[in-house]
């Protein structure tokens, strides 16, 4: 009898999952493999993830140590054209590091800092270049970010200020534009409450390089990062990253 109930539960879960994927409006995923050259050569698969989304909902998962971990499981309610409420497990509105752990979200092989995901309710709104995001979760924890976007002289910039109930304060700046005809993107975070911790990263993508790009970065640990990469296709990317301590990481990633 117990086995029958267990099998019924497993069957119901599988059917629900299949129906969920079938009814999803978008299914995407990605894989990555790293080779690290240093004192020894090491191989790893830093990120394997799947994202399923539909009308107002999103479920993202990743595989780590043989376990399936839920990153975000959230759904949205459009209160008005300018205000949206988000419920469930979601990334906190703190800085601009979210998504940098996914190969599809960055040209780098490493993330500049850890990101946080919590369960609760979030509110977001934007108008006239000003954006505001707020989150409230367990144990009265809250986080908020205000941002302002401006475009001038062919450069698009966004400046943000983040705070949370742990007395954290963070300034972030991101820009994209062109210098001497070479397109570039840059990202910067400065932690006002953590001994001035910061990171700065830039990516240049010359048109003549036909999909190749260059990387340069620096952080408050006085670590210089640089490397090159190549977008082999819309789905395949290869990048290399050399740190100040002499380790070199080569990453191959695939997204669909």
């Amino acid at each position: 009898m117990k086995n029958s109930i267990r099998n019924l539960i497993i069957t119901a879960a599988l059917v629900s999952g299949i129906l969920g994927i079938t009814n999803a409006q978008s299914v995407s995923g990605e894989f990555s493999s790293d080779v690290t050259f240093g004192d020894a050569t090491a191989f790893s698969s830093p990120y394997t993830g799947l994202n399923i989304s539909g009308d107002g909902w999103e479920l993202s998962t990743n595989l780590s140590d043989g376990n399936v971990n839920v990153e975000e499981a959230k759904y949205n309610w459009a209160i008005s054209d300018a205000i949206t409420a988000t419920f469930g497990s979601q990334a906190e509105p703190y800085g601009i590091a979210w998504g940098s752990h996914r190969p599809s979200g960055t040209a780098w092989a490493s993330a500049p800092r850890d990101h946080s995901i919590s369960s609760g309710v979030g509110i977001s709104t934007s108008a006239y270049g000003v954006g505001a995001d707020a989150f409230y979760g367990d144990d009265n924890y809250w986080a908020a970010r205000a941002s302002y976007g401006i475009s001038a002289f062919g450069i698009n910039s966004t400046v943000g200020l983040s705070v949370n109930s742990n007395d954290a304060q963070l300034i972030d700046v991101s820009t994209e534009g062109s210098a001497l005809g070479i397109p570039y993107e840059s990202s910067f975070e400065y932690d006002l409450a953590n001994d001035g911790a910061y990171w700065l990263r830039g990516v240049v993508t010359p048109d003549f390089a036909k999909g190749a790009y260059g990387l340069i970065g620096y952080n408050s640990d006085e670590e210089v990062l640089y490397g090159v990469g190549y977008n082999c296709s819309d789905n395949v990317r290869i990048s290399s990253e050399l740190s100040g301590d002499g380790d070199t990481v080569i990453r191959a990633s695939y997204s669909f």
Side-chain angles (χ1 to χ4, degrees):
M1 182 64 179
K2 291 182 178 180
N3 288 336
S4 298
I5 295 175
R6 183 187 64 183
N7 292 336
L8 179 61
I9 293 174
I10 293 174
T11 301
L14 289 173
V15 171
S16 298
I18 292 173
L19 289 175
I21 294 176
T22 301
N23 293 325
Q25 296 176 344
S26 175
V27 178
S28 60
E30 52 193 296
F31 313 92
S32 61
S33 297
D34 285 3
V35 183
T36 302
F37 301 95
D39 294 336
T41 302
F43 294 84
S44 62
S45 298
Y47 190 86
T48 299
L50 182 67
N51 182 285
I52 308 170
S53 61
D55 185 14
W57 61 271
E58 180 180 345
L59 173 65
S60 59
T61 64
N62 65 58
L63 183 65
S64 178
D65 298 326
N67 299 316
V68 177
N69 304 308
V70 175
E71 289 189 0
E72 290 187 293
K74 62 184 182 180
Y75 55 98
N76 301 324
W77 171 36
I79 299 176
S80 68
D81 292 339
I83 302 175
T84 300
T86 302
F87 303 88
S89 177
Q90 56 194 284
E92 297 177 11
Y94 188 76
I96 53 177
W98 166 250
S100 59
H101 64 297
R102 297 173 176 171
S104 62
T106 179
W108 295 80
S110 65
R113 67 170 175 86
D114 293 335
H115 59 273
S116 297
I117 298 175
S118 300
S119 294
V121 58
I123 297 290
S124 62
T125 183
S126 62
Y128 305 106
V130 178
D133 299 272
F135 171 84
Y136 186 81
D138 296 336
D139 300 324
N140 298 322
Y141 176 80
W142 59 267
R145 177 176 181 265
S147 63
Y148 178 69
I150 184 172
S151 297
F153 308 107
I155 301 175
N156 300 319
S157 302
T158 301
V159 180
L161 172 64
S162 303
V163 295
N164 64 24
S165 56
N166 292 331
D167 296 326
Q169 300 176 14
L170 186 74
I171 293 177
D172 64 76
V173 180
S174 59
T175 64
E176 61 177 21
S178 179
L180 302 177
I182 301 177
Y184 72 89
E185 297 178 2
S186 65
S187 303
F188 173 75
E189 280 190 354
Y190 184 84
D191 194 334
L192 296 171
N194 186 24
D195 297 325
Y198 65 87
W199 59 266
L200 170 66
R201 292 186 169 191
V203 181
V204 294
T205 54
D207 293 334
F208 61 82
K210 305 299 182 181
Y213 55 84
L215 306 169
I216 184 67
Y218 188 74
N219 59 36
S220 52
D221 293 327
E222 299 183 350
E223 183 180 27
V224 179
L225 301 172
Y226 50 93
V228 294
Y230 180 65
N231 295 311
C232 306
S233 67
D234 293 337
N235 306 96
V236 180
R237 171 186 290 167
I238 296 177
S239 59
S240 64
E241 185 176 321
L242 178 64
S243 65
D245 57 12
D247 288 346
T248 301
V249 178
I250 297 178
R251 167 172 293 181
S253 60
Y254 176 84
S255 59
F256 62 89

